[in-house]
Amino acid sequence: MSSPFHQALERNRDRYNAQFALARHRTRSLSATEFLDHLRAHVGPVVDASGVDDPVPLTDALVSLSLRLAERGWLTEGTPTARAFAALPMLAWFVGHAPTRVPAAVLNAARTIDAAPRGQLGRWLGAMVRMAGVIPPDRTDLLLDAGAVAAWRCGVALLRRSALAALRGLPADVAAVALGDPVDGPTLQRLAADPWAAPAGGEPGLLVRERVGAFTGFGGPFPRPPVVRAVDGRWYAEVSERAWEVAVDRFGWDLRRVPAVPAGAAAGSSLRFDGVGEVSDGRGGVLRLPELAATTSVAGIGDTLAVTTRYSHRIVFVGRSA
Amino acid sequence: MDSYQHVSQAPTLPGGAHAGAAEPAEFDVAALYSGPVSGGEADGRALPLDEKLRQAYFWIVNHAIISPHYDVEFAEGPSPSVSLGDSKARLTLPSGQSYSSFVLIPLLTFAVRRRCLLVGGPGRGKTASAVLMGVLAGYPLREVRRAMQHGHPQLTIADLLGTPLPADLIKAERIGDIDIAWRSWLSMRVKIIDEYNRIPTRTQSALLTLMSDGYAEVFDQVYEAADSAWYLTANDDAGGGTYQVIEALRDRIDVVVHALQFNSRFLGELVTRIEQRLRPEEVVPPEIVFSEAEHERVSAEILRVPLPAPVLRRLEFFSAQFELLEQAGEQFEYRTKDTAKLAGVDPHLLAATETGRDRLADLGSQTLNGLSVRALQSTIAYAKALAYFRDREEVGLDDLRAVLPFVLHDKLVPDDNSPAFEDPSHRPYRTDRVSWIRHLFDRACAEYDRIDLDADDPVGAMLAEFDRGLDGVGESEVTARLSRIEGLLTDSSRSRKLYGHTYDDALALKYLHQRYVNYRSWLRWRP
């Protein structure tokens, strides 16, 4: 007896062939052999493992999606979308419940994580597969919320606030997989209060925590050394007329373009900077950083200080963690 | 070449009232999962429906129907134009986003769920256009094709609506006991009648009931059909079908659109489609498919688009031009073309005996009828739909001007013998109804501006005053208002000429006079 995927292909052979012909019409380089390999290796296993009664809607959705991806070259080995697609068979039950939503969400997330400077796509995909083992397949929203938390842990620092909010709504076993460690109420509060805290362990004391940004000539965002500002509890970088919001914590960093640095109250920090390279936390902790001597801007939030200099395109974040 | 599965990126109308959403204030969880990989339904939920409608339009014109015509023109600033040929045919290059009527009008019909007639020679894409609308409604292509009703001389009511179950026909003691196997197409949100002018007259009557009242009746059993978008096609709408279309059925059609000719410069695209066996209707992107709930919502959102008073006033002025026929009656209210038609007299013969008016200037002399309430309702619905489609906050005069020719195409019957058509520059209007109706509207607007009705409209002011209510209005005030009404009518009587809009104004003043007289009687009667 043929598999559900083969039944779907058989029932709609002409239509799928027409779709491929259209795609080929638009993208001459589309290879029939490679596309068939993709269907065989990735689409078929998803359909067959999905447990759906009627395999046709799921096959329709995955074939259409695959064609769109193939036309853009996004099924090429090593691309984040191809890596994410290869993980879909392990999320097959979820894909079966939401044939268009789940694949698109996973693939888009893969692109976002891959684009984050500290993004760890492989680790995130692994977390998604493990979470799929503890979440009922009809709870798509729960899987995606947990996926956001895992994405934060895997380097998408811009997700920090919304991931912390999502984390509060996750069952304990799911949260533990998403964060990589069990998390209870006090841990959650600690994570929210201290950007350098880890669910377990961590690196206490006064340390250089992160160096954010790079020169455009080396693929970074800043054409000139930026200045940093802290407004209403958020970090911002400015270069000439351009501005970015800076997200940074122990899991990673990222920048997001904003029209301008908003007006607001400048935050304060418990850390002190002497202007020539020494940072102290007022509790005996002192860090000497000669690289920060030619300072152009200093901003602080809580136990973190951000410093820029005229000779570097990076923003240096120094933080104290308990 | 663009992708067939590619949907135009939003916003499809930069600068629209709701376009240009700013960067979100916060990078949210949702942002992780949104991006260029589209999942169909998930993205569809997030997109405003007017944007989705525009994406559907652009997908159809870019990939499905080869109709490189931009005959629904909009200007945003000066639009250059050139005159070509001996006839000095003017070709305008619109400065605003303009549209192909053959795609736009069926799509608006889909959105407002009304009735559209597609006319044109065979093989011009009428049926293909209607089928695409069925696919946009989310029906599988095979189901759309199966549900399409093909007009032919043997089509019976049972073929069209449903058949009684044979066992019931034998066993039933009362007609009400006979169950009907209703045809499945009756429940669909998009209904297609191909070559409707080949349907026998009796079957047309059953179709009329379904189209106009939304139900079908067979053997005393009634099937209530949901609101639908209807598409009827005809190769020759000028009576070339097998059967004459009954007037009531024709009148139920809200809008008529022509399948324009194929542009030979686009033959290459056809060749490619043939060679590669491409059938765009089979690969409509899920992003532009409307669920039932979205279809409901888009209709409701369209109805909420405001029609501002200045635009409404111009529509009133335009529609007032056509009904008056002074020679048709003796009593003032009966001096209409309708009176003549009901008496079986050709309105043109009576119009020819009129001497007071300038028949070249009088727009009413160009038609054999006036506008029905149904025609005006259709006009308003389509004007709102177009404003919605164009992402406008309210209906503009340009929206109204754009839809009028298609809505009134079969509603306003030209008097071919009118002297207005003798002018060499107006002769094309005998055959080109779209341009003729647009010309009529432009003339009406010019006249409206000439008499400066936006600034000086005493009848409008009196109607507005009455609309504010009569609470607290005393007898002396009522008497003053009655005097003003009589004064306005006396002023009008000094002019020898009666035009459509002054005729309607006079009747409106009579209405007001009567309401005030009744109110004054009540004031005098009450203790």
Side-chain angles (χ1 to χ4, degrees), chain A residues 22 25-26 100 144 234 256, chain B residues 3-4 24 26 33 39 272:
Chain A
L22 275 172
H25 168 66
R26 296 185 295 265
T100 51
L144 297 184
R234 292 173 189 245
R256 187 174 72 104
Chain B
S3 151
Y4 273 73
E26 184 77 53
Y33 299 117
T272 312

Side-chain angles (χ1 to χ4, degrees), chain A residues 24 40 47 49 72 85 144 149-150 155 168 171 195-196 201 222 233 257 283 307:
Chain A
R24 183 73 168 275
R40 209 173 285 124
V47 176
R72 295 180 182 193
F85 210 117
L144 297 184
V149 174
R168 291 187 178 92
W196 313 115
F222 302 137
R257 276 296 296 272
R283 303 178 197 183
V307 184

